[in-house]
Amino acid sequence: MPATLTERPAPPLAPPVPALRRRTRVLALPEARWAAAATVLFLIALPLQLTGAPAWAWGPLYALAYATGGWEPAWAGLQALREKTLDVDLLMIVAALGAAAVGQVMDGALLIVIFATSGALEALATARTADSVRGLLDLAPATATRLRADGGEETVPTQELAVGDTVLVRPGERIGADGRVLDGAGEVDQATITGEPLPAAKERGDEVFAGTLNGTGALRIRVERDASDTVIARIVAMVEEASETKAPTQLFIEKVEQRYSLGMVAATLAVFAVPLAFGAAFTGSLLRAMTFMIVASPCAVVLATMPPLLSAIANAGRHGVLVKSAVVMERLGQVDAVALDKTGTLTEGTPRVTELRPLAGSGLDEDALLALAAAAEHPSEHPLGRAIVAAARGRGLTPAAAEDFTSAPGIGVSATVDGRVIAVAAPARLLDGREDAPSARAAAVAAELEQAGRTAVVVEADGAPVGLIGIADRLRPDAADTVAALAALTGTAPMLVTGDNPRAAAHLAAEAGITDVRAGLLPQDKVAAVREQEAAGRRVLVIGDGVNDAPALAAAHTGVAMGRAGSDLALETADAVVVRDELATVPAVIALSRRARRLVAQNLVLAGVFISVLVVWDLVATLPLPLGVLGHEGSTVLVGLNGLRLLREAAWTGARTEGARQESTSATR
């Protein structure tokens, strides 16, 4: 409960940490500047060429587009060659130059622009994630108040704190080190570490974490961990470690890239050299090789993959789901296990009054009980107090004026309301050791509320309990249906991973239809739960919203963050963000991803057929260059249009219907 001293205004809370708002500007990245320059040059040259302007007007512009967009991947490719590695980016530069050599200057320039833009987006995503990881360290304050042996105080950098030091943390300050309370009592908002929606009461012997906010009450804390070993520092390390890990799909793509690149170069050289060795004309051999380079280039294969995935990304974005890349959209369709956070994910993340229980003989009804409690809590800044006041306003009640307001850390508040002394506090603080009949009835109701997963609050008037209030973080209206749909789509019951207490977690899980509950978890425990599933061969989707969820989001096969109240680090670390906090969109986007993957397979077959036919034609007979370009570009257009079908509204509607249909099928089995 809230803990300010008598009629003293609550100390100002620590301001929001600006470090989590760090953002690398797009044009601060050299990759973005080069890609932008290449795009602008291409867009200027293209209309000039199409309107019949002389070559001297648009030719230099295309040349500059080649240079600005292609020099960086070309240089990187040449460096890779020194390490005996050949990548597709270098191959695309060669293909672009080959296209220019046979007169297809615009095609080559477009290829350059596409790959330059892709590299810029990848660099930006990497920079933004690094910004958020670095910003997390600033949750912990830069300085702390250390107590000397003579009782004096000194301000020191938190990095200089050593195990065994004693620090003083005043109300409204952030705790500078992991440790244990030696003296004092207060309430600490540790949502950044545990995900708990309510501040936790702390007293002598309780553990506290660096970066958490001391709301009320002064605390003397003994430091138990070095700055590099705090929970918040370990979160940063885990996010960095998981972000550097490559998924099996990425490793497979790299292997294919190597083989394709080497095969493409070898085949092109062979197409040029073999006829030349048998006496063919140099120009004819070169033209055949360049034609081969064009028709065998993987443009259609690239478009076979990207349009379905990008269309699915755009469609999901229109419906409030931000998927950060095509790779993520593909991975979403691969998941076969789901782990959900509780607070702010399955629940709305805001405490609400759920039950009003006036005691028999008190003479109060629900409104009167709520009005008394709201009057006493009105000066309070505690989340439970705000929930009670909000509930009273929601019923149209106007709290009476309160006098002599007092509060005590971990105990509750009291105030004089209409001449009566009203106390609002936790049952353990007001009822322990009392054996009178009203107290016994109140204790029984409190046990019932807590058994149901509620936070119980006792309201006392002139020393006698008159009622109890049950407060809970409300389940999202679509949570149960979403859990059922996820179970049907993945074939596995979702798992709840939360830092909340086991009783509240179990109760909420039962409401949502979840049987696998992991409660009381710190961030590293959530990561361990995810890795346990992955060790069993699962591809785990983690859905969360807090800083404490970030390591699990990074370690998972795919991470989804709730966007409305999600922390900056969770939003940056996650692969996708549910912008409008509509949990039901998650199974829909999984179904949409699976549709996109099916279209990718269709397009790959189509692209493969076109490339195979054109390559064989070029090798066996004589493929005219215009016909080769027409076939190459025609296949590219066909696979592109096929993928764009996912832009339609019907695609999203069908995806939601697919999730609901699988849920219904699963329920009838």
Short mmCIF file of all heavy atoms in Angstrom, two decimals, residues 564-585:
data_model
loop_
_atom_site.label_atom_id
_atom_site.label_comp_id
_atom_site.label_asym_id
_atom_site.label_seq_id
_atom_site.Cartn_x
_atom_site.Cartn_y
_atom_site.Cartn_z
N ARG A 564 1.30 -1.01 -27.19
CA ARG A 564 0.73 0.20 -26.58
C ARG A 564 1.46 0.59 -25.32
O ARG A 564 1.76 1.75 -25.09
CB ARG A 564 -0.76 -0.02 -26.30
CG ARG A 564 -1.47 1.22 -25.79
CD ARG A 564 -2.98 1.07 -25.90
NE ARG A 564 -3.41 0.99 -27.30
CZ ARG A 564 -4.65 0.71 -27.66
NH1 ARG A 564 -5.57 0.46 -26.76
NH2 ARG A 564 -4.97 0.66 -28.94
N ALA A 565 1.77 -0.38 -24.46
CA ALA A 565 2.46 -0.08 -23.21
C ALA A 565 3.78 -0.81 -23.13
O ALA A 565 4.40 -0.87 -22.07
CB ALA A 565 1.58 -0.47 -22.02
N GLY A 566 4.25 -1.36 -24.24
CA GLY A 566 5.49 -2.12 -24.22
C GLY A 566 6.70 -1.23 -23.99
O GLY A 566 6.74 -0.08 -24.39
N SER A 567 7.72 -1.80 -23.34
CA SER A 567 8.94 -1.04 -23.10
C SER A 567 9.69 -0.87 -24.41
O SER A 567 9.52 -1.63 -25.36
CB SER A 567 9.83 -1.80 -22.10
OG SER A 567 10.34 -2.98 -22.70
N ASP A 568 10.56 0.15 -24.46
CA ASP A 568 11.33 0.41 -25.68
C ASP A 568 12.18 -0.79 -26.06
O ASP A 568 12.29 -1.14 -27.23
CB ASP A 568 12.23 1.63 -25.49
CG ASP A 568 11.47 2.93 -25.70
OD1 ASP A 568 10.23 2.87 -25.79
OD2 ASP A 568 12.11 3.98 -25.78
N LEU A 569 12.83 -1.41 -25.06
CA LEU A 569 13.71 -2.53 -25.37
C LEU A 569 12.92 -3.71 -25.91
O LEU A 569 13.34 -4.38 -26.86
CB LEU A 569 14.50 -2.96 -24.13
CG LEU A 569 15.54 -4.04 -24.43
CD1 LEU A 569 16.60 -3.54 -25.37
CD2 LEU A 569 16.17 -4.57 -23.15
N ALA A 570 11.75 -3.98 -25.33
CA ALA A 570 10.92 -5.08 -25.84
C ALA A 570 10.48 -4.80 -27.27
O ALA A 570 10.51 -5.68 -28.13
CB ALA A 570 9.70 -5.28 -24.94
N LEU A 571 10.11 -3.54 -27.56
CA LEU A 571 9.65 -3.19 -28.90
C LEU A 571 10.78 -3.31 -29.92
O LEU A 571 10.55 -3.71 -31.06
CB LEU A 571 9.08 -1.77 -28.91
CG LEU A 571 7.85 -1.53 -28.04
CD1 LEU A 571 7.40 -0.08 -28.15
CD2 LEU A 571 6.71 -2.45 -28.44
N GLU A 572 12.00 -2.96 -29.52
CA GLU A 572 13.12 -3.05 -30.45
C GLU A 572 13.62 -4.48 -30.60
O GLU A 572 14.02 -4.91 -31.68
CB GLU A 572 14.28 -2.15 -29.97
CG GLU A 572 13.97 -0.66 -30.02
CD GLU A 572 13.87 -0.14 -31.44
OE1 GLU A 572 14.20 -0.88 -32.38
OE2 GLU A 572 13.44 1.01 -31.62
N THR A 573 13.61 -5.24 -29.49
CA THR A 573 14.11 -6.61 -29.54
C THR A 573 13.16 -7.54 -30.26
O THR A 573 13.58 -8.47 -30.95
CB THR A 573 14.36 -7.14 -28.11
OG1 THR A 573 15.24 -6.24 -27.42
CG2 THR A 573 14.99 -8.52 -28.14
N ALA A 574 11.86 -7.31 -30.10
CA ALA A 574 10.86 -8.19 -30.71
C ALA A 574 10.94 -8.13 -32.23
O ALA A 574 11.33 -7.13 -32.82
CB ALA A 574 9.46 -7.78 -30.25
N ASP A 575 10.55 -9.22 -32.85
CA ASP A 575 10.53 -9.30 -34.30
C ASP A 575 9.26 -8.68 -34.88
O ASP A 575 9.23 -8.29 -36.05
CB ASP A 575 10.62 -10.76 -34.75
CG ASP A 575 11.90 -11.42 -34.26
OD1 ASP A 575 12.98 -10.90 -34.57
OD2 ASP A 575 11.83 -12.44 -33.55
N ALA A 576 8.21 -8.62 -34.08
CA ALA A 576 6.94 -8.03 -34.52
C ALA A 576 6.30 -7.32 -33.33
O ALA A 576 6.56 -7.67 -32.18
CB ALA A 576 6.01 -9.10 -35.07
N VAL A 577 5.48 -6.32 -33.63
CA VAL A 577 4.84 -5.52 -32.59
C VAL A 577 3.34 -5.45 -32.86
O VAL A 577 2.93 -5.10 -33.98
CB VAL A 577 5.42 -4.10 -32.52
CG1 VAL A 577 4.70 -3.27 -31.47
CG2 VAL A 577 6.92 -4.14 -32.23
N VAL A 578 2.53 -5.77 -31.84
CA VAL A 578 1.08 -5.63 -31.95
C VAL A 578 0.75 -4.20 -31.52
O VAL A 578 0.63 -3.90 -30.33
CB VAL A 578 0.35 -6.65 -31.06
CG1 VAL A 578 -1.16 -6.51 -31.21
CG2 VAL A 578 0.78 -8.07 -31.43
N VAL A 579 0.65 -3.31 -32.50
CA VAL A 579 0.58 -1.87 -32.23
C VAL A 579 -0.66 -1.51 -31.42
O VAL A 579 -0.59 -0.69 -30.50
CB VAL A 579 0.61 -1.09 -33.55
CG1 VAL A 579 0.50 0.41 -33.29
CG2 VAL A 579 1.88 -1.40 -34.33
N ARG A 580 -1.80 -2.11 -31.73
CA ARG A 580 -3.05 -1.73 -31.07
C ARG A 580 -3.39 -2.61 -29.87
O ARG A 580 -4.49 -2.53 -29.34
CB ARG A 580 -4.19 -1.81 -32.09
CG ARG A 580 -3.99 -0.94 -33.32
CD ARG A 580 -5.04 -1.25 -34.37
NE ARG A 580 -4.75 -0.57 -35.62
CZ ARG A 580 -5.31 -0.88 -36.78
NH1 ARG A 580 -6.20 -1.87 -36.84
NH2 ARG A 580 -4.99 -0.23 -37.87
N ASP A 581 -2.45 -3.46 -29.46
CA ASP A 581 -2.67 -4.36 -28.33
C ASP A 581 -3.86 -5.30 -28.53
O ASP A 581 -4.52 -5.70 -27.58
CB ASP A 581 -2.87 -3.57 -27.03
CG ASP A 581 -1.54 -3.20 -26.38
OD1 ASP A 581 -0.50 -3.40 -27.04
OD2 ASP A 581 -1.54 -2.74 -25.24
N GLU A 582 -4.14 -5.66 -29.77
CA GLU A 582 -5.20 -6.63 -30.06
C GLU A 582 -4.56 -8.02 -30.12
O GLU A 582 -3.99 -8.41 -31.14
CB GLU A 582 -5.90 -6.29 -31.37
CG GLU A 582 -6.63 -4.96 -31.33
CD GLU A 582 -7.24 -4.62 -32.69
OE1 GLU A 582 -7.29 -5.51 -33.56
OE2 GLU A 582 -7.65 -3.47 -32.86
N LEU A 583 -4.66 -8.74 -29.03
CA LEU A 583 -4.00 -10.04 -28.93
C LEU A 583 -4.50 -11.01 -30.00
O LEU A 583 -3.75 -11.87 -30.47
CB LEU A 583 -4.22 -10.62 -27.53
CG LEU A 583 -3.33 -11.79 -27.11
CD1 LEU A 583 -1.86 -11.39 -27.14
CD2 LEU A 583 -3.72 -12.26 -25.71
N ALA A 584 -5.74 -10.87 -30.41
CA ALA A 584 -6.32 -11.79 -31.39
C ALA A 584 -5.65 -11.67 -32.76
O ALA A 584 -5.83 -12.56 -33.61
CB ALA A 584 -7.82 -11.53 -31.54
N THR A 585 -4.89 -10.62 -33.01
CA THR A 585 -4.21 -10.50 -34.30
C THR A 585 -3.00 -11.43 -34.40
O THR A 585 -2.51 -11.68 -35.51
CB THR A 585 -3.74 -9.06 -34.54
OG1 THR A 585 -2.87 -8.65 -33.47
CG2 THR A 585 -4.93 -8.11 -34.61
#
